[in-house]
Structure formats: C-alpha cells, structure tokens
Amino acid sequence: MISKKSICFVATVEYAVNAFLFNHLVELSKYYKITVITKQENKGFQHKVSEEIDFINLDFKRKINLVSDLIVFFKLFIILFKNRFDVVTTITPKAGLLGMLASYIAFTPMRVHCYTGQIWITRLGFQRRLFRSIDKFINALSTHNIIDSKSQYDFLLNEHIIFKDKSFVFGGGSVCGVDLKRFKPNTKVKFNLRKKLKIPQSAFVFLFLGRLNKDKGIDSLINAFKKSNLETTYLLVVGPDEEGIVLKYKKSKNIIFQGFCINPQDYMAASDMLCLPSFREGFGSVVIEAAATGVPSMVTDIYGLSDSVIPNKTGIIHKVNDINGMVRLFKIIIEDKKFVKNLGKEARLRATKEFDSNLITSYWKTFYEIEISKLIVD
C-alpha cells in the first residue's frame, strides 16, 4: 500500500488557519497526511476541523521579538527535520519567513508560500526596506508561490518580489473563497440582531468588519461617517481593537462597537453596505463574504481590493484616506436605495459564481496533485 504524501501548513495564528484554510484542510486530509503548526488558542479547534489532522502548537509572537522568534525558528526546524514532510506551506508573513527558511534548511522538497498582502506598503524608510527584503527572501526560498489576487500578483512582479515561473493565482483570486452555506442572506438574523443592538429595522447600516488599526483605514471611516452626520444611519464596527480605537470614538453618535466575533455572517446579514477603507490589502476576503450575503462594499482603490469589487456593479470605490470622497459616497448611497439593492444582487451573483469555497478548494487540490506528482517523477 502506497503511503500518503505529507503536507505541513504553518501559520502564525490559529485565526489564519480558520479564516483561510479551514475547508481546504478538511478536503486535503482525505488524500494527504496533514499537519498544522500554529499558535493554538482554542483547544477544541482541532476537533472542529478534523480529527484526521495533526496539530502542533508553537508560540509565535505577532510582533517582531528576536529572542522568541529564534526559539520558534529552531523548534520549527527540528519538527520539520524530524518529520520529513513532502510539502511545507506557509501563510502570513512571519510564518513565511520562519517556515520557508526552516523547511529550506530541512531539505523539504516542495516549499509553498501564500502571499496575502504586504505590510511594507504603508511603511517608510528602514522598515519598508526590511519587510520588502523579507518578502523577496521568502520568494528565494520557496519552490512555489500562491498569490491571492491578480492585481497583487502584477504588483509583486513589477516590484521584482516574486518569480513568474513559480507563482500562481487561483481562478479570479482568493486563497479561501467563501462558504456559501454560511454566508447568505438571512432576514430572520437581520431582524433579531438589529433588535438586540437597538438599531431600527428601517435604518441604513454601514458595516466595518476586521481588525481595528490604522492600515485598515478605520480612522478615516469613522471620521467620514461623523462628518456626514446622516440621520437614521448607523455604523457597526466589528473586530478586535488593536490601537485603542474604541476608547477614542466610543461616545460617537450612531456608532456601535462589537469587538471580536465568531459569527461575522450575522453582522453582514444585518447590514446594508460593507466598508473596507484599507491602506493595504491582499484580496479582501470579507468583501466576497459580504457579497455572498447580498451586501455590496465600499472599498479603497488599491491592489487586492480591486479584484474583490467591480466598480459600480458589485460595489463602489474611493481613494485611500479620502474623507470628503467617502462623505459624498455615503450621501449618494443613502439617497439611492435602488442602486444599492442592484449592487447587492450583482455582488451575490459574482460571489456565487467565482468565489465558492468549494471551487477554490478544488484549485488547491489540483495544485498539490500536479506539483506533488512532479516530486514523485523526480
């Protein structure tokens, strides 16, 4: 009996596994021996994914910590060297750097990194040069790169970060797709959640869903919303606060903060328009998740997000940090409900056709089938 080939996934945090890899891991575990190395925060998460998948806990730190990072690197190298995985796949920047270097030294034959956005885009000086060099170094160590949007792929090529002959984009973009059974219109959830949050059923609700930090443009969004001063309009802000945003704006009129959640689909179903005014983004998975619920998006005109929205068809775009531009769009949106309804309809059609997670999973499966077969031939 031929033994299964082994694939090891490395991610800095469990959240990344849940957000980007969940469905893929379940399907791939039917054909390969799957191991996931990440910082585990939820003891029940392994059983939620699959009991067939092995989990190894490593204490990754999100921010740079030379001592901690070196310790994690050596532990990671020992794990990879002992297990002799056929493939190591990394996602998130720090996991990419440590994982690609450790797997390279451990002689792992196939080394795959997923580029899901560049942190150096918003940095200046030494930090920009450092993080840009790290992305180039990861590319030099990898045998394959998966890029989560076509515009990001073009950007990385133009910046001479990646090599064309070993870099791929699955379909129309996204490394995860959207679970259409989970993200869908739900009038009952909409009614109940609005009632719970004391939002009038007739109110127009803008939604921000993601990490609350500068790079996500949350300050710009809140200031634009406050400046627009629209009656019977609410801004629902959902996500972990990384920079004291809640304390800064908690007394603002008609702005509701909800913190981290495990049911983003409910907040999307209860909203009318998603806002993602990011300064940088690899693709914008939250945009297609909202689209699947029939909710269009208002996003910045940057690479990555340009793949997740078709302007004036599935959403609308504005310049980065353009508060006055956002105010104008808020007023247009509120005054033209038919336009918004059509955007939502087209957004759902596109999400269903192009970004079904089952479709993206099939791309992953085919990718490993083809590339691992080359290893066997070699």
Side-chain angles (χ1 to χ4, degrees), residues 245-267:
I245 300 298
V246 176
L247 183 62
K248 186 176 179 181
Y249 297 108
K250 67 178 181 179
K251 294 183 179 180
S252 300
K253 180 182 176 182
N254 288 5
I255 299 179
I256 300 174
F257 294 94
Q258 283 296 289
F260 174 77
C261 75
I262 59 173
N263 55 331
Q265 68 276 12
D266 291 354
Y267 291 96

Side-chain angles (χ1 to χ4, degrees), residues 121-134:
I121 290 299
T122 58
R123 307 296 175 90
L124 299 171
F126 173 74
Q127 281 196 342
R128 181 182 178 91
R129 293 193 297 272
L130 173 63
F131 291 122
R132 187 178 185 280
S133 297
I134 287 174

Side-chain angles (χ1 to χ4, degrees), residues 106-360:
F107 301 108
T108 304
M110 183 172 166
R111 305 177 298 278
V112 185
H113 179 62
C114 301
Y115 284 92
T116 57
Q118 288 64 58
I119 61 176
W120 46 272
I121 290 299
T122 58
R123 307 296 175 90
L124 299 171
F126 173 74
Q127 281 196 342
R128 181 182 178 91
R129 293 193 297 272
L130 173 63
F131 291 122
R132 187 178 185 280
S133 297
I134 287 174
D135 267 349
K136 289 190 71 172
F137 186 53
I138 291 172
N139 170 74
L141 296 170
S142 69
T143 59
H144 304 76
N145 299 314
I146 296 172
I147 321 297
D148 71 348
S149 70
K150 293 180 179 178
S151 57
Q152 183 185 182
Y153 173 89
D154 292 337
F155 173 80
L156 292 174
L157 276 181
N158 291 335
E159 289 287 323
H160 307 291
I161 303 297
I162 60 173
F163 299 147
K164 185 175 183 179
D165 60 350
K166 66 174 185 178
S167 301
F168 310 87
V169 177
F170 292 150
S174 176
V175 296
C176 56
V178 57
D179 184 347
L180 298 177
K181 293 181 180 178
R182 181 184 178 195
F183 293 91
K184 57 185 178 182
N186 193 321
T187 53
K188 183 178 179 180
V189 167
K190 179 178 182 177
F191 178 87
N192 289 336
L193 186 55
R194 286 195 176 202
K195 184 178 180 180
K196 178 182 177 182
L197 298 176
K198 298 181 180 179
I199 298 175
Q201 299 297 327
S202 60
F204 193 98
V205 178
F206 292 99
L207 170 69
F208 174 92
L209 200 154
R211 293 179 289 112
L212 276 58
N213 61 40
K214 182 180 178 180
D215 284 355
K216 290 292 184 180
I218 185 63
D219 280 297
S220 301
L221 175 61
I222 291 176
N223 286 324
F225 181 79
K226 291 174 65 177
K227 188 174 182 179
S228 65
N229 195 30
L230 298 167
E231 296 295 330
T232 65
T233 303
Y234 287 75
L235 174 60
L236 184 53
V237 180
V238 182
D241 187 0
E242 298 181 345
E243 297 180 355
I245 300 298
V246 176
L247 183 62
K248 186 176 179 181
Y249 297 108
K250 67 178 181 179
K251 294 183 179 180
S252 300
K253 180 182 176 182
N254 288 5
I255 299 179
I256 300 174
F257 294 94
Q258 283 296 289
F260 174 77
C261 75
I262 59 173
N263 55 331
Q265 68 276 12
D266 291 354
Y267 291 96
M268 291 173 181
S271 303
D272 298 292
M273 173 75 73
L274 176 77
C275 300
L276 188 56
S278 292
F279 289 24
R280 64 176 179 87
E281 204 74 42
F283 176 74
S285 296
V286 68
V287 173
I288 58 171
E289 289 172 347
T293 66
V295 175
S297 295
M298 185 173 86
V299 304
T300 41
D301 186 16
I302 59 174
Y303 79 80
L305 288 181
S306 61
D307 297 74
S308 61
V309 162
I310 300 176
N312 298 321
K313 185 175 182 180
T314 68
I316 50 181
I317 61 174
H318 59 85
K319 294 180 181 179
V320 173
N321 202 28
D322 183 4
I323 293 176
N324 290 331
M326 294 168 72
V327 171
R328 287 194 298 271
L329 289 176
F330 281 146
K331 293 180 178 179
I332 290 172
I333 291 166
I334 294 301
E335 292 172 0
D336 196 343
K337 301 293 197 307
K338 184 178 179 180
F339 174 57
V340 174
K341 185 176 180 179
N342 288 335
L343 289 178
K345 181 180 178 180
E346 290 295 329
R348 176 159 170 74
L349 287 173
R350 183 172 183 244
T352 303
K353 181 180 179 181
E354 297 184 26
F355 300 110
D356 183 347
S357 60
N358 292 321
L359 175 63
I360 306 301

Side-chain angles (χ1 to χ4, degrees), residues 84-102:
R84 298 291 183 179
F85 297 107
D86 297 293
V87 184
V88 169
T89 300
T90 59
I91 191 165
T92 67
K94 181 177 283 190
L97 174 61
L98 301 181
M100 286 296 98
L101 182 57

